[in-house]
Amino acid sequence: MKKRLVLSTLVLFPVYVLLVYLYLFHWTSPDVPQAYKGSAADPLTFMTAQEMALSQEYSQYRNLLYFIGLPFEILIYIAVLVFGWSPIFKRFGERVSKLSFIKIPIYVLLLSTVVWLISFPLDYIGYRLSSQYGISTQNFSSWMRDELISFWVGFIIMGLLITVLYILMKKAQKRWWLYAWLLLIPFFTFMMYIQPVWIDPLYNEFTELKDPVLEEKILALAHQADIPADRVFEVNMSEKTNAMNAYVNGIGSNLRIVLWDTTLNQLDEGETLFIMAHEIGHYVMNHLYMNLGGVILSSLAGLYLTYRLLHVVIRKWGDEFGVKSVSDISSLPVLFLLLTVLSIISTPAESAISRQAERAADEYAIEMMPDREAAIGSFQQLTINGRSEVNPPALVKFFRYGHPTMMERIIMLEEYEKE
């Protein structure tokens, strides 16, 4: 079994990478359809030849990196199992302490460190690529700081979740997936509540919007939509990126309206207000809560399928991998492997749902701020600054695009004008 896994990986992964490369670089074209040539969605009408070339190159390399990374974590977990690292991590934790709330987090820390170290080259290539094409403005030390913060925040959260999960596995072997899901409901809600005020500030500095006139106009839009906000926050993203963004996140008293300073620096007032109207549209249509509900429902399906599959895998191959039972912490790589596979399978469906929500927010924004030129201008500027493709390949759209493509968004605005 182990030898077959290794041989299959050595043969299939390079073939997969080659096929993805051919698809992205040779089998697809970034050109817009003939019907949209000369329209506001045609890059030739708003981008220079150099900007178009840079956008195409950056998008192709970025997409290649994404698709290489898609199965990469699966391969790491397979390596942990094949080379017998999982029982070693378990024994190390047990030597430190026999208590579950100590030995399980130690195991999680060791596994997380291995995954992070093996994944680091891909992450670094992504950082260098972003810097080379003028997206990232971060120096290496700043980027590493963010990487380490993400690692430790992720470890703390994961260490807690996995400790509770494996205690439930021992206590309720047939219902642990259900009890774990019931505990995840308040956890997801709590995380959504604390993220704007506890987690996001770990990465960037948030201040009140420095332009009082613009803040007043944004708050007027927010109050029109019954958003309980009395300030707009500005975040100093220009220290890290040239990309633009704005969002409304959090729930209850921790809800925040946020603008990146790059958005303020690169869009005019009308374009900025359209972008904010789009984000307000998400709140008005309850997309924040719908996203929360979607995460809760998908976690139920994911936990149940993992419960069913985990028993099958451990029963067939547990002895080869040194995993004694499902509730044995050394089964964690198998659990993560299964969750990663399920996540990849569900990604196209999740992206399609997200694209529908984003289209609805676009439609709300143009109704609220019927300045078509500003709306189209904001999308064109987002394309230029983000080195984005206007019309990405279908496979890229299905897996990577939680928004409609820029071509679809701009065409929608032009058709709205006609309607």
Side-chain angles (χ1 to χ4, degrees):
M1 173 62 183
K2 291 182 180 180
K3 185 180 293 186
R4 190 161 61 248
L5 271 174
V6 172
L7 290 174
S8 298
T9 300
L10 291 175
V11 172
L12 294 178
F13 187 65
V15 171
Y16 162 79
V17 172
L18 176 61
L19 290 174
V20 169
Y21 171 80
L22 292 173
Y23 175 78
L24 294 174
F25 287 80
H26 298 284
W27 295 344
T28 56
S29 169
D31 295 339
V32 298
Q34 188 63 39
Y36 301 140
K37 295 285 187 181
S39 71
D42 186 349
L44 287 171
T45 65
F46 65 90
M47 297 174 75
T48 65
Q50 183 182 18
E51 287 171 341
M52 289 175 60
L54 289 174
S55 293
Q56 182 178 351
E57 288 176 11
Y58 177 71
S59 297
Q60 287 174 327
Y61 287 124
R62 193 73 188 179
N63 291 332
L64 177 63
L65 200 61
Y66 168 81
F67 282 108
I68 290 175
L70 203 60
F72 200 71
E73 195 168 339
I74 295 173
L75 300 181
I76 295 174
Y77 295 133
I78 289 174
V80 169
L81 294 167
V82 167
F83 296 116
W85 297 341
S86 190
I88 295 173
F89 297 162
K90 175 192 171 184
R91 289 194 295 271
F92 183 86
E94 289 175 339
R95 282 200 297 269
V96 175
S97 175
K98 297 295 183 182
L99 299 174
S100 294
F101 64 87
I102 294 178
K103 66 181 182 181
I104 292 178
I106 289 175
Y107 180 99
V108 174
L109 178 60
L110 293 172
L111 181 60
S112 299
T113 301
V114 167
V115 172
W116 187 84
L117 289 173
I118 298 177
S119 302
F120 183 81
L122 277 182
D123 295 334
Y124 179 72
I125 292 171
Y127 159 69
R128 291 295 303 162
L129 186 67
S130 184
S131 299
Q132 182 179 344
Y133 282 87
I135 307 298
S136 175
T137 58
Q138 271 187 296
N139 57 37
F140 179 75
S141 60
S142 173
W143 177 77
M144 273 302 301
R145 176 182 175 276
D146 285 352
E147 288 287 301
L148 291 173
I149 289 174
S150 296
F151 175 84
W152 287 108
V153 169
F155 162 67
I156 291 169
I157 294 172
M158 193 58 64
L160 173 64
L161 292 178
I162 296 302
T163 299
V164 173
L165 178 64
Y166 272 82
I167 290 174
L168 289 174
M169 284 179 171
K170 288 185 180 294
K171 300 289 185 181
Q173 295 184 7
K174 293 185 178 181
R175 291 286 183 269
W176 61 263
W177 59 273
L178 179 60
Y179 299 144
W181 177 71
L182 292 172
L183 290 174
L184 281 177
I185 296 174
F187 172 77
F188 286 144
T189 306
F190 177 68
M191 290 300 296
M192 191 173 179
Y193 179 76
I194 69 167
Q195 181 174 340
V197 294
W198 287 9
I199 297 178
D200 290 348
L202 294 173
Y203 297 91
N204 300 290
E205 180 185 355
F206 289 76
T207 60
E208 289 190 44
L209 186 60
K210 298 179 181 68
D211 185 340
V213 175
L214 180 60
E215 182 178 43
E216 184 178 346
K217 292 181 178 181
I218 293 173
L219 289 177
L221 294 176
H223 295 156
Q224 185 180 335
D226 295 325
I227 294 180
D230 56 4
R231 65 178 62 177
V232 178
F233 289 89
E234 178 180 335
V235 56
N236 62 330
M237 288 301 297
S238 56
E239 295 181 356
K240 298 181 178 181
T241 182
N242 285 316
M244 297 181 287
N245 197 14
Y247 57 86
V248 177
N249 73 339
I251 56 176
S253 60
N254 280 0
L255 185 139
R256 281 188 170 185
I257 300 174
V258 178
L259 270 168
W260 287 10
D261 63 344
T262 49
T263 305
L264 296 167
N265 296 337
Q266 299 173 55
L267 297 184
D268 63 30
E269 184 179 277
E271 293 168 343
T272 302
L273 289 173
F274 175 79
I275 294 296
M276 287 313 309
H278 169 96
E279 299 304 327
I280 288 169
H282 285 306
Y283 180 88
V284 171
M285 290 178 281
N286 296 311
H287 290 163
L288 296 176
Y289 297 99
M290 290 168 64
N291 286 343
L292 177 61
V295 169
I296 290 171
L297 288 176
S298 61
S299 65
L300 174 61
L303 282 170
Y304 177 72
L305 288 172
T306 301
Y307 158 74
R308 303 293 297 185
L309 294 170
L310 194 58
H311 280 277
V312 174
V313 174
I314 299 303
R315 185 170 60 249
K316 285 188 174 182
W317 300 296
D319 289 341
E320 284 194 65
F321 298 143
V323 181
K324 295 178 181 179
S325 67
V326 168
S327 60
D328 183 355
I329 186 59
S330 58
S331 70
L332 185 59
V334 182
L335 186 144
F336 280 168
L337 189 155
L338 293 173
L339 289 174
T340 304
V341 170
L342 293 173
S343 175
I344 293 172
I345 292 171
S346 65
T347 293
E350 292 172 356
S351 296
I353 294 169
S354 176
R355 288 195 296 272
Q356 289 297 318
E358 295 295 339
R359 180 179 175 85
D362 284 345
E363 292 171 350
Y364 175 89
I366 195 60
E367 290 281 352
M368 194 177 200
M369 297 292 300
D371 185 342
R372 188 176 70 95
E373 288 187 8
I376 291 174
S378 66
F379 286 157
Q380 290 175 337
Q381 198 61 41
L382 283 167
T383 303
I384 295 169
N385 283 79
R387 303 280 189 232
S388 303
E389 288 179 292
V390 171
N391 185 30
L395 199 60
V396 174
K397 174 184 171 181
F398 293 148
F399 274 91
R400 298 207 65 193
Y401 273 59
H403 291 70
T405 66
M406 282 303 180
M407 182 185 75
E408 293 168 337
R409 300 179 86 175
I410 293 173
I411 293 301
M412 183 277 291
L413 293 174
E414 291 197 318
E415 291 177 350
Y416 174 85
E417 176 79 0
K418 295 174 184 176
E419 292 172 4

PDB file of all heavy atoms in Angstrom, residues 116 120 138-149:
ATOM      1  N   TRP A 116       3.368  23.377   7.557  1.00  0.00           N
ATOM      2  CA  TRP A 116       3.789  24.752   7.269  1.00  0.00           C
ATOM      3  C   TRP A 116       5.165  24.770   6.594  1.00  0.00           C
ATOM      4  O   TRP A 116       5.363  25.491   5.614  1.00  0.00           O
ATOM      5  CB  TRP A 116       3.823  25.554   8.562  1.00  0.00           C
ATOM      6  CG  TRP A 116       4.093  27.018   8.358  1.00  0.00           C
ATOM      7  CD1 TRP A 116       3.186  27.986   8.039  1.00  0.00           C
ATOM      8  CD2 TRP A 116       5.364  27.677   8.463  1.00  0.00           C
ATOM      9  NE1 TRP A 116       3.801  29.217   7.937  1.00  0.00           N
ATOM     10  CE2 TRP A 116       5.146  29.055   8.186  1.00  0.00           C
ATOM     11  CE3 TRP A 116       6.657  27.254   8.761  1.00  0.00           C
ATOM     12  CZ2 TRP A 116       6.167  29.998   8.206  1.00  0.00           C
ATOM     13  CZ3 TRP A 116       7.677  28.192   8.766  1.00  0.00           C
ATOM     14  CH2 TRP A 116       7.431  29.543   8.499  1.00  0.00           C
ATOM     15  N   PHE A 120       5.865  25.966   2.784  1.00  0.00           N
ATOM     16  CA  PHE A 120       6.494  27.286   2.759  1.00  0.00           C
ATOM     17  C   PHE A 120       7.064  27.660   1.385  1.00  0.00           C
ATOM     18  O   PHE A 120       6.888  28.804   0.939  1.00  0.00           O
ATOM     19  CB  PHE A 120       7.590  27.362   3.822  1.00  0.00           C
ATOM     20  CG  PHE A 120       8.236  28.720   3.905  1.00  0.00           C
ATOM     21  CD1 PHE A 120       7.632  29.756   4.600  1.00  0.00           C
ATOM     22  CD2 PHE A 120       9.452  28.960   3.268  1.00  0.00           C
ATOM     23  CE1 PHE A 120       8.216  31.011   4.662  1.00  0.00           C
ATOM     24  CE2 PHE A 120      10.042  30.216   3.321  1.00  0.00           C
ATOM     25  CZ  PHE A 120       9.420  31.244   4.027  1.00  0.00           C
ATOM     26  N   GLN A 138       5.061  44.513   0.402  1.00  0.00           N
ATOM     27  CA  GLN A 138       5.653  44.081   1.668  1.00  0.00           C
ATOM     28  C   GLN A 138       7.110  43.684   1.502  1.00  0.00           C
ATOM     29  O   GLN A 138       7.473  43.033   0.516  1.00  0.00           O
ATOM     30  CB  GLN A 138       4.904  42.871   2.220  1.00  0.00           C
ATOM     31  CG  GLN A 138       3.724  43.185   3.115  1.00  0.00           C
ATOM     32  CD  GLN A 138       3.162  41.924   3.724  1.00  0.00           C
ATOM     33  OE1 GLN A 138       2.666  41.044   3.031  1.00  0.00           O
ATOM     34  NE2 GLN A 138       3.218  41.832   5.046  1.00  0.00           N
ATOM     35  N   ASN A 139       7.922  44.038   2.487  1.00  0.00           N
ATOM     36  CA  ASN A 139       9.260  43.459   2.523  1.00  0.00           C
ATOM     37  C   ASN A 139       9.163  42.073   3.152  1.00  0.00           C
ATOM     38  O   ASN A 139       8.126  41.683   3.705  1.00  0.00           O
ATOM     39  CB  ASN A 139      10.247  44.353   3.277  1.00  0.00           C
ATOM     40  CG  ASN A 139       9.811  44.647   4.702  1.00  0.00           C
ATOM     41  OD1 ASN A 139       9.246  43.781   5.389  1.00  0.00           O
ATOM     42  ND2 ASN A 139      10.057  45.861   5.172  1.00  0.00           N
ATOM     43  N   PHE A 140      10.256  41.328   3.075  1.00  0.00           N
ATOM     44  CA  PHE A 140      10.210  39.937   3.524  1.00  0.00           C
ATOM     45  C   PHE A 140       9.896  39.815   5.015  1.00  0.00           C
ATOM     46  O   PHE A 140       9.123  38.935   5.424  1.00  0.00           O
ATOM     47  CB  PHE A 140      11.541  39.246   3.218  1.00  0.00           C
ATOM     48  CG  PHE A 140      11.600  37.814   3.678  1.00  0.00           C
ATOM     49  CD1 PHE A 140      10.918  36.829   2.989  1.00  0.00           C
ATOM     50  CD2 PHE A 140      12.325  37.465   4.816  1.00  0.00           C
ATOM     51  CE1 PHE A 140      10.966  35.504   3.421  1.00  0.00           C
ATOM     52  CE2 PHE A 140      12.375  36.150   5.249  1.00  0.00           C
ATOM     53  CZ  PHE A 140      11.692  35.169   4.551  1.00  0.00           C
ATOM     54  N   SER A 141      10.466  40.680   5.840  1.00  0.00           N
ATOM     55  CA  SER A 141      10.249  40.572   7.285  1.00  0.00           C
ATOM     56  C   SER A 141       8.784  40.816   7.647  1.00  0.00           C
ATOM     57  O   SER A 141       8.230  40.142   8.517  1.00  0.00           O
ATOM     58  CB  SER A 141      11.154  41.552   8.038  1.00  0.00           C
ATOM     59  OG  SER A 141      10.879  42.888   7.656  1.00  0.00           O
ATOM     60  N   SER A 142       8.147  41.771   6.972  1.00  0.00           N
ATOM     61  CA  SER A 142       6.727  42.039   7.215  1.00  0.00           C
ATOM     62  C   SER A 142       5.875  40.855   6.783  1.00  0.00           C
ATOM     63  O   SER A 142       4.930  40.456   7.481  1.00  0.00           O
ATOM     64  CB  SER A 142       6.295  43.299   6.470  1.00  0.00           C
ATOM     65  OG  SER A 142       4.908  43.499   6.562  1.00  0.00           O
ATOM     66  N   TRP A 143       6.214  40.278   5.624  1.00  0.00           N
ATOM     67  CA  TRP A 143       5.477  39.112   5.139  1.00  0.00           C
ATOM     68  C   TRP A 143       5.638  37.929   6.090  1.00  0.00           C
ATOM     69  O   TRP A 143       4.658  37.240   6.414  1.00  0.00           O
ATOM     70  CB  TRP A 143       5.973  38.756   3.743  1.00  0.00           C
ATOM     71  CG  TRP A 143       5.324  37.531   3.178  1.00  0.00           C
ATOM     72  CD1 TRP A 143       4.068  37.427   2.651  1.00  0.00           C
ATOM     73  CD2 TRP A 143       5.906  36.215   3.079  1.00  0.00           C
ATOM     74  NE1 TRP A 143       3.822  36.141   2.234  1.00  0.00           N
ATOM     75  CE2 TRP A 143       4.936  35.383   2.483  1.00  0.00           C
ATOM     76  CE3 TRP A 143       7.140  35.679   3.430  1.00  0.00           C
ATOM     77  CZ2 TRP A 143       5.173  34.034   2.226  1.00  0.00           C
ATOM     78  CZ3 TRP A 143       7.380  34.332   3.174  1.00  0.00           C
ATOM     79  CH2 TRP A 143       6.410  33.524   2.582  1.00  0.00           C
ATOM     80  N   MET A 144       6.863  37.698   6.564  1.00  0.00           N
ATOM     81  CA  MET A 144       7.098  36.601   7.493  1.00  0.00           C
ATOM     82  C   MET A 144       6.349  36.819   8.806  1.00  0.00           C
ATOM     83  O   MET A 144       5.846  35.867   9.411  1.00  0.00           O
ATOM     84  CB  MET A 144       8.599  36.459   7.775  1.00  0.00           C
ATOM     85  CG  MET A 144       9.337  35.586   6.787  1.00  0.00           C
ATOM     86  SD  MET A 144       8.694  33.888   6.665  1.00  0.00           S
ATOM     87  CE  MET A 144       8.878  33.317   8.351  1.00  0.00           C
ATOM     88  N   ARG A 145       6.274  38.062   9.234  1.00  0.00           N
ATOM     89  CA  ARG A 145       5.524  38.363  10.454  1.00  0.00           C
ATOM     90  C   ARG A 145       4.064  37.935  10.296  1.00  0.00           C
ATOM     91  O   ARG A 145       3.495  37.283  11.186  1.00  0.00           O
ATOM     92  CB  ARG A 145       5.606  39.857  10.764  1.00  0.00           C
ATOM     93  CG  ARG A 145       4.773  40.290  11.969  1.00  0.00           C
ATOM     94  CD  ARG A 145       4.859  41.797  12.185  1.00  0.00           C
ATOM     95  NE  ARG A 145       3.966  42.222  13.263  1.00  0.00           N
ATOM     96  CZ  ARG A 145       2.669  42.491  13.112  1.00  0.00           C
ATOM     97  NH1 ARG A 145       2.129  42.381  11.901  1.00  0.00           N
ATOM     98  NH2 ARG A 145       1.932  42.868  14.128  1.00  0.00           N
ATOM     99  N   ASP A 146       3.454  38.274   9.165  1.00  0.00           N
ATOM    100  CA  ASP A 146       2.070  37.876   8.921  1.00  0.00           C
ATOM    101  C   ASP A 146       1.933  36.355   8.845  1.00  0.00           C
ATOM    102  O   ASP A 146       0.950  35.781   9.332  1.00  0.00           O
ATOM    103  CB  ASP A 146       1.560  38.503   7.617  1.00  0.00           C
ATOM    104  CG  ASP A 146       1.250  39.983   7.769  1.00  0.00           C
ATOM    105  OD1 ASP A 146       1.289  40.482   8.913  1.00  0.00           O
ATOM    106  OD2 ASP A 146       0.970  40.647   6.755  1.00  0.00           O
ATOM    107  N   GLU A 147       2.913  35.712   8.211  1.00  0.00           N
ATOM    108  CA  GLU A 147       2.881  34.254   8.112  1.00  0.00           C
ATOM    109  C   GLU A 147       2.925  33.607   9.501  1.00  0.00           C
ATOM    110  O   GLU A 147       2.197  32.654   9.783  1.00  0.00           O
ATOM    111  CB  GLU A 147       4.071  33.756   7.283  1.00  0.00           C
ATOM    112  CG  GLU A 147       3.957  34.058   5.805  1.00  0.00           C
ATOM    113  CD  GLU A 147       2.944  33.189   5.115  1.00  0.00           C
ATOM    114  OE1 GLU A 147       3.085  31.953   5.151  1.00  0.00           O
ATOM    115  OE2 GLU A 147       1.986  33.747   4.546  1.00  0.00           O
ATOM    116  N   LEU A 148       3.792  34.117  10.364  1.00  0.00           N
ATOM    117  CA  LEU A 148       3.923  33.545  11.712  1.00  0.00           C
ATOM    118  C   LEU A 148       2.692  33.834  12.563  1.00  0.00           C
ATOM    119  O   LEU A 148       2.264  32.985  13.356  1.00  0.00           O
ATOM    120  CB  LEU A 148       5.185  34.093  12.381  1.00  0.00           C
ATOM    121  CG  LEU A 148       6.505  33.609  11.760  1.00  0.00           C
ATOM    122  CD1 LEU A 148       7.695  34.336  12.378  1.00  0.00           C
ATOM    123  CD2 LEU A 148       6.662  32.094  11.931  1.00  0.00           C
ATOM    124  N   ILE A 149       2.115  35.024  12.404  1.00  0.00           N
ATOM    125  CA  ILE A 149       0.876  35.321  13.126  1.00  0.00           C
ATOM    126  C   ILE A 149      -0.216  34.345  12.707  1.00  0.00           C
ATOM    127  O   ILE A 149      -0.932  33.785  13.544  1.00  0.00           O
ATOM    128  CB  ILE A 149       0.427  36.779  12.871  1.00  0.00           C
ATOM    129  CG1 ILE A 149       1.367  37.759  13.579  1.00  0.00           C
ATOM    130  CG2 ILE A 149      -1.004  36.996  13.366  1.00  0.00           C
ATOM    131  CD1 ILE A 149       1.084  39.214  13.250  1.00  0.00           C
TER     132      ILE A 149
END
